[in-house]
Amino acid sequence: MNPKIYILYAAVAAATCVPFAALANTAAPIVVSGTVGDDASKAALLARLRTVYGADRIVDQLTVGRVSMPANWNEHVGKLIGPNLKLISRGQLQVDGTSVSLRGDVASEAQRTQVASDIALALDPGYTVNNGLRVAASEQGMLDAALANRIIEFESGQATLTDSGKAILDQMSMALLRLKDKRVEVIGHTDNAGSRAGNLSLSQARAEAVKAYVVERGIKPDMVAVSGEGPDRPVADNRTPEGRARNRRIEFKVVQ
């Protein structure tokens, strides 16, 4: 099995070029999870992250296991974690063996190309880089501002919206109507309590419930896609009640 890491972050660089929600998360936690081959690899990865982002922001969910480490893997991963990552908001860096994937929003096409190019140049030809970065749209900023980092709540363990969740969706429906013909993806997330399969099913059902609610308020059904990612993309530490509450969330993404 390959060593695998996931680094989720909400860092920003130029405040004038990023969505509103990112501005509110300049001190958001950097969650690192996955499996590496030994304690030294784990320590080196955490040290590099703390150097770039600051020790207080790093949430360590790494484990050490029996994996086959590619040659100079620690060195290559260290090169990936640099200041350019701060150009990305709501991002994820995934390293699976020698495969590197980037997700998240940047302010311009030039930044999108720059970040992926710099990473590719830092690695040897045996690594592949999948550039999943996208240019943040002004429409995304409007949705982020409407949601304002609030959590759309459901009944515990169910896909039934609470009154407070419905109240937020009433406001989100107004924002969605202003997007006119822009397609939006509603993404459900959970904490890591319970089985992954159960959480994936619950997150999908909750995203479907959100779509049904906004459709009742005038949003065209074909303008809303849904997906459930279960516990796979935490934004906070699942070891605390506060962190789990933040991870149980609904995201709205403008589809490019």
Side-chain angles (χ1 to χ4, degrees):
M1 182 175 67
N2 288 328
K4 182 181 294 186
I5 60 170
Y6 299 90
I7 302 170
L8 294 106
Y9 44 92
V12 297
T16 57
C17 300
V18 298
F20 296 113
L23 301 182
N25 283 301
T26 53
I30 312 298
V31 181
V32 54
S33 61
T35 305
V36 295
D38 51 51
D39 289 326
S41 298
K42 176 179 177 178
L45 175 57
L46 292 174
R48 180 60 178 161
L49 284 165
R50 287 164 179 154
T51 297
V52 172
Y53 288 105
D56 293 341
R57 293 182 62 191
I58 305 304
V59 178
D60 171 21
Q61 296 182 357
L62 280 173
T63 60
V64 174
R66 298 184 64 180
V67 294
S68 177
M69 304 283 284
N72 301 317
W73 191 80
N74 289 343
E75 177 184 348
H76 288 302
V77 170
K79 292 178 180 178
L80 296 176
I81 304 168
N84 270 355
L85 293 186
K86 294 183 179 181
L87 296 173
I88 305 170
S89 63
R90 294 184 302 275
Q92 180 187 65
L93 170 64
Q94 175 181 339
V95 186
D96 184 357
T98 57
S99 176
V100 179
S101 296
L102 276 170
R103 296 174 60 182
D105 296 338
V106 290
S108 66
E109 183 61 33
Q111 285 188 1
R112 180 182 182 276
T113 302
Q114 173 191 341
V115 173
S117 176
D118 288 351
I119 283 179
L121 290 173
L123 301 172
D124 67 32
Y127 282 74
T128 59
V129 178
N130 174 31
N131 182 3
L133 299 175
R134 66 179 192 175
V135 178
S138 59
E139 292 90 351
Q140 183 65 56
M142 184 171 64
L143 285 184
D144 291 340
L147 187 57
N149 292 321
R150 294 175 294 175
I151 301 297
I152 296 169
E153 295 182 343
F154 296 82
E155 300 293 343
S156 179
Q158 302 178 43
T160 303
L161 287 157
T162 64
D163 289 343
S164 65
K166 292 176 182 178
I168 295 173
L169 287 180
D170 287 339
Q171 298 174 36
M172 294 304 299
S173 296
M174 296 174 62
L176 290 168
L177 286 169
R178 291 197 294 271
L179 295 182
K180 300 188 183 299
D181 293 327
K182 285 284 187 179
R183 296 187 72 246
V184 172
E185 183 179 13
V186 175
I187 310 169
H189 301 271
T190 67
D191 59 28
N192 66 352
S195 70
R196 180 174 181 274
N199 281 323
L200 286 170
S201 177
L202 178 61
S203 64
Q204 180 73 26
R206 287 179 169 178
E208 295 279 3
V210 168
K211 176 178 178 177
Y213 190 89
V214 300
V215 166
E216 288 179 355
R217 275 141 189 80
I219 307 303
K220 297 177 181 177
D222 57 351
M223 291 292 101
V224 183
V226 297
S227 65
E229 300 206 7
D232 293 348
R233 292 181 60 199
V235 293
D237 192 342
N238 273 310
R239 292 173 293 190
T240 68
E242 296 80 9
R244 290 191 294 273
R246 289 186 60 195
N247 289 331
R248 297 189 296 267
R249 69 197 190 280
I250 293 288
E251 284 186 283
F252 294 83
K253 295 285 188 183
V254 176
V255 178
Q256 300 297 312

